[in-house]
Each structure stands twice: as structure tokens, then as C-alpha cells.
Amino acid sequence: MADRQNLHIKGIREGLLITLGEDSWPDSRTALLEHVHQQAEFLRGGRLILDVGNHILRAAELGQLRDILSERGLSLWAVLSNSPITQQTAQTLGLATRITKPALERS
């Protein structure tokens, strides 16, 4: 069973930042989907930024996760990763791969 201690959710300007631990991808995915299921009403309509750390995700894995989240009323907006393969996969699926910091206002 996946350990939910390795799953952290934080509200930020762009949406909900979900940081996964270094468990195996199947365990991390299970923990994420269990949490989404348990908090369905609270999270519904949320825009998610998923920080997968060092996980290497292929298009099929990331696309399936995006579709499952979409079925639950969540929008996967961005995937943050240390892996160039995962970053490329996210970009191919039309997902952002970094969160931009707001530019300073000019007077």
C-alpha cells in the first residue's frame, strides 16, 4: 500500500502543487489517486501542478493519469520534473513544465 506521507499538497497562485515522494511510480500514482478519491469534493475543479521529482514518465503513463484526473473533475496543468524525458513527455502532451514567477511591475 502506498504511503500518503510521501504526498504533499500546497495551494499556490497557479493552482494546487502536488509533490510526490521518491516511491516507485506505481506507488506514487496510487497514493495520488487515493488522495484525489478521498478528497474528491474539495479538489473538484482544481488546477494541478504535479511535481514528480526524478520519476521518468512516458506519454502513455502521463496521458493516462491526465485522463483519470480529468474524469474526476481535475485539470492537470503542469508537470515539474528533474527528468528531461518526463519534461519532454509533458510538453508533448501540452502541459507546462515550469511555473513562471510573476514579472516585477514597471512604474
Side-chain angles (χ1 to χ4, degrees):
M1 174 167 256
D3 181 7
R4 280 198 22 225
Q5 296 298 332
N6 288 326
L7 176 77
H8 302 282
I9 299 178
K10 179 180 181 180
I12 60 173
R13 175 179 288 185
E14 292 84 358
L16 292 172
L17 174 63
I18 300 176
T19 305
L20 302 178
E22 293 300 320
D23 289 342
S24 69
W25 172 244
D27 287 345
S28 294
R29 180 181 177 275
T30 298
L32 172 61
L33 294 177
E34 283 177 1
H35 188 78
V36 165
H37 178 71
Q38 291 171 358
Q39 299 292 321
E41 288 302 314
F42 176 73
L43 296 173
R44 189 174 318 277
R47 188 165 105 148
L48 304 182
I49 300 100
L50 189 60
D51 184 347
V52 299
N54 295 318
H55 291 292
I56 297 173
L57 303 179
R58 306 286 180 192
E61 295 164 320
L62 201 49
Q64 182 184 43
L65 179 63
R66 179 193 59 193
D67 293 346
I68 291 169
L69 292 171
S70 178
E71 289 168 6
R72 289 173 168 80
L74 299 167
S75 171
L76 181 59
W77 175 73
V79 174
L80 310 179
S81 177
N82 298 327
S83 163
I85 293 170
T86 302
Q87 290 176 2
Q88 181 64 43
T89 298
Q91 290 170 357
T92 300
L93 293 173
L95 302 170
T97 55
R98 67 187 89 167
I99 301 173
T100 57
K101 294 181 180 168
L104 295 174
E105 291 184 16
R106 295 183 180 181
S107 307

